[in-house]
Amino acid sequence: NAGVMQNPRHLVRRRGQEARLRCSPMKGHSHVYWYRQLPEEGLKFMVYLQKENIIDESGMPKERFSAEFPKEGPSILRIQQVVRGDSAAYFCASSPLQPGQGHEKLFFGSGTQLSVL
Amino acid sequence: LAKTTQPISMDSYEGQEVNITCSHNNIATNDYITWYQQFPSQGPRFIIQGYKTKVTNEVASLFIPADRKSSTLSLPRVSLSDTAVYYCLVGELGGGNKLTFGTGTQLKVEL
């Protein structure tokens, strides 16, 4: 059973370009979370999605950032008009459980390191 | 959300037992305590989770006193490969969207 797959592993963009980060959850998992990690800091929650639904986007910046988890295909985190401050590691995690179903643990991917020049 | 406090760093030698304590004075009744491990350039990996008393798995033990205001992750006989950042998290079940990772504890294991 493959783990959470993220690609690309490294992404370099110039200021003003768009960045698309992909995440394929573990097989059987329908809950996806995106986190951002700045250097020397902990992970910060961004958004929680289920198939075709955004459940909680309270951690997402109001502008330029969007996320989706379509019925078919990976979850996408999209950053428009990137700025240098967007440079960070972006991690995706998946879970098989809905809230309240049991002891939840998150399975994380290896992340995408975004560098904005 | 319950805030957690952990030491910024710890040093140890191979073969020793390492105990990392986390304070969470404002833990709520529905909150569980979960520990993750993170190596450089990788995502966090689940280590152990508990609600009260003691939990043990093949990797670590988690000790939680009766008042649940703190918890201690115990790593028996550490090796160089245990050098990593360890995060203590407190949150409700199913609350992945509410989990807050602090700066964690950087454990460095030497020969």
Side-chain angles (χ1 to χ4, degrees):
Chain A
N1 188 9
V4 177
M5 304 300 291
Q6 289 189 250
N7 68 80
R9 196 78 169 85
H10 301 276
L11 181 62
V12 179
R13 285 287 178 266
R14 296 189 181 280
R15 280 181 297 171
Q17 291 184 320
E18 178 180 283
R20 280 184 180 242
L21 287 61
R22 295 175 186 78
C23 169
S24 295
M26 286 183 71
K27 186 177 181 180
H29 289 193
S30 58
H31 306 269
V32 167
Y33 304 81
W34 285 93
Y35 288 81
R36 175 166 63 176
Q37 186 172 33
L38 295 170
E40 309 302 323
E41 295 187 14
L43 284 80
K44 298 277 194 304
F45 164 77
M46 298 182 73
V47 62
Y48 164 39
L49 311 103
Q50 295 178 23
K51 286 283 188 181
E52 301 185 278
N53 284 305
I54 297 174
I55 307 302
D56 182 348
E57 54 182 349
S58 59
M60 287 268 275
K62 297 290 184 232
E63 298 177 352
R64 301 188 298 108
F65 285 72
S66 63
E68 63 177 6
F69 189 16
K71 186 177 180 180
E72 300 291 337
S75 175
I76 306 286
L77 179 66
R78 183 184 177 203
I79 311 172
Q80 295 177 292
Q81 300 174 331
V82 295
V83 300
R84 289 218 173 105
D86 296 331
S87 295
Y90 291 83
F91 291 97
C92 167
S94 72
S95 168
L97 299 174
Q98 285 211 13
Q101 282 188 340
H103 294 198
E104 176 184 0
K105 59 174 138 176
L106 300 181
F107 295 82
F108 283 83
S110 296
T112 293
Q113 180 63 53
L114 173 65
S115 298
V116 180
L117 304 179
Chain B
L1 298 175
K3 183 183 176 187
T4 60
T5 303
Q6 321 172 216
I8 293 174
S9 64
M10 294 182 70
D11 294 325
S12 184
Y13 294 96
E14 275 203 318
Q16 290 190 328
E17 178 184 80
V18 171
N19 296 308
I20 306 175
T21 297
C22 178
S23 298
H24 27 80
N25 291 320
N26 297 323
I27 190 169
T29 303
N30 294 334
D31 287 344
Y32 274 70
I33 301 155
T34 310
W35 286 79
Y36 284 83
Q37 174 193 56
Q38 185 179 27
F39 297 113
S41 301
Q42 292 188 28
R45 183 176 72 105
F46 173 90
I47 299 176
I48 198 166
Q49 184 180 71
Y51 184 80
K52 62 179 179 180
T53 62
K54 177 184 174 183
V55 179
T56 297
N57 61 23
E58 64 279 5
V59 176
S61 294
L62 179 60
F63 298 92
I64 306 169
D67 65 6
R68 305 203 322 127
K69 292 184 183 300
S70 67
S71 59
T72 298
L73 174 73
S74 181
L75 305 171
R77 297 179 299 282
V78 294
S79 63
L80 292 175
S81 62
D82 292 316
T83 294
V85 178
Y86 292 82
Y87 296 98
C88 162
L89 291 87
V90 172
E92 288 187 45
L93 296 183
N97 48 319
K98 302 293 191 292
L99 290 180
T100 299
F101 287 74
T103 51
T105 298
Q106 172 66 65
L107 172 64
K108 183 178 179 182
V109 180
E110 299 175 291
L111 288 173

